[in-house]
Amino acid sequence: MIDFARADGATARGYLAEASDPQAAVVVIQEWWGLNDQIRGVAERFARAGFTALVPDLYKGASTVEAEEAHHLMNGLNFGEAAGQDVRGAVQHLKGLKTATGKVGVTGYCMGGALTLLSLTMAPEADAGVVWYGLPPLEYVDASKIRAPLMAHWATQDQAFAISSVDALEEKLSAAGVRYEGHRYLAHHAFANETAVGPNRIAITQYDPAWAELAWDRTLRFFGRHLG
């Protein structure tokens, strides 16, 4: 865990996974569970691939394995402040670290996917973004402010974020001329979260290792292309 400055100068905390030979860097945004072992593992995976990764602690130390508590924590989060202050500050912090290219991407999952979209409208320093099955209400997405190239992974059987809302988002991105690449998978919500298995998972979620690996490969190629 490290301290870093938010965009407004206040202090925030986050989990830093350092690549041994960093080519670029990535801000990783948590699901609604908080900064837990699973999202730390995602950051470590990026680090092994050559991207130093920083996960902002948006819940200020809280995390949970209970869906009701996760919903409570998410509802208590100011999304605009999280995107414009914490995530932007994390991007700025990574920009100050020594990497081969000096470029920084943003990616997030579920709630973090929605925050990735918002962050790309509020953090002009970001060089690329990848959304994983999550989006905010469309009225909060000013697509005209998204300057970085964007990739997204959507689940066609997602009961948390209907694919019809993805259609509307993609129309908005297209109208604004966003450099966008969207992929759809015959999968359920959280298909890339390896803990979404077994009888204790939320019923609408289901890990799919095949689709998860394909989405990861696409993500790493995308970041390699735009951050490399």
Side-chain angles (χ1 to χ4, degrees):
M1 296 295 294
I2 65 163
D3 292 331
F4 65 93
R6 299 193 336 161
D8 61 5
T11 299
R13 287 182 61 76
Y15 179 76
L16 183 69
E18 295 187 78
S20 58
D21 182 23
Q23 300 305 299
V26 179
V27 177
V28 179
I29 310 177
Q30 67 193 50
E31 295 188 7
W32 69 346
W33 306 112
L35 207 173
N36 59 10
D37 287 342
Q38 191 275 332
I39 203 68
R40 289 185 180 91
V42 171
E44 296 291 349
R45 186 171 182 179
F46 275 113
R48 290 193 298 272
F51 301 95
T52 287
L54 176 57
V55 188
D57 184 5
L58 300 181
Y59 290 165
K60 316 305 181 193
S63 66
T64 184
V65 296
E66 299 294 335
E68 184 176 350
E69 177 64 10
H71 190 266
H72 173 74
L73 288 168
M74 182 180 70
N75 282 349
L77 182 68
N78 182 322
F79 274 56
E81 181 178 342
Q85 299 298 335
D86 295 86
V87 177
R88 187 181 183 190
V91 171
Q92 292 170 340
H93 179 81
L94 290 175
K95 285 275 185 177
L97 299 184
K98 185 178 180 181
T99 64
T101 67
K103 293 185 177 181
V104 177
V106 179
T107 191
Y109 302 76
C110 182
M111 180 188 86
L115 282 166
T116 297
L117 276 169
L118 291 177
S119 298
L120 290 179
T121 71
M122 299 179 180
E125 300 90 347
D127 297 294
V130 177
V131 171
W132 298 73
Y133 40 77
L135 69 157
L138 292 186
E139 61 267 28
Y140 295 109
V141 180
D142 185 351
S144 68
K145 293 184 178 179
I146 299 178
R147 304 300 184 191
L150 172 66
M151 174 183 277
H153 305 296
W154 309 110
T156 58
Q157 296 174 295
D158 197 326
Q159 295 180 49
F161 297 93
I163 205 68
S164 58
S165 62
V166 175
D167 293 336
L169 171 67
E170 291 182 337
E171 290 177 6
K172 194 168 188 177
L173 296 174
S174 177
V178 175
R179 291 171 288 168
Y180 171 73
E181 178 182 335
H183 299 282
R184 300 187 182 199
Y185 307 82
L186 185 60
H188 294 279
H189 187 67
F191 68 84
N193 186 330
E194 70 279 6
T195 67
V197 293
N200 292 325
R201 77 181 195 280
I202 296 178
I204 66 170
T205 68
Q206 179 63 62
Y207 174 56
D208 189 309
W211 290 133
E213 193 62 32
L214 177 58
W216 261 100
D217 288 346
R218 285 169 166 166
T219 296
L220 292 178
R221 287 198 300 268
F222 180 80
F223 277 149
R225 190 163 66 246
H226 294 289
L227 304 181

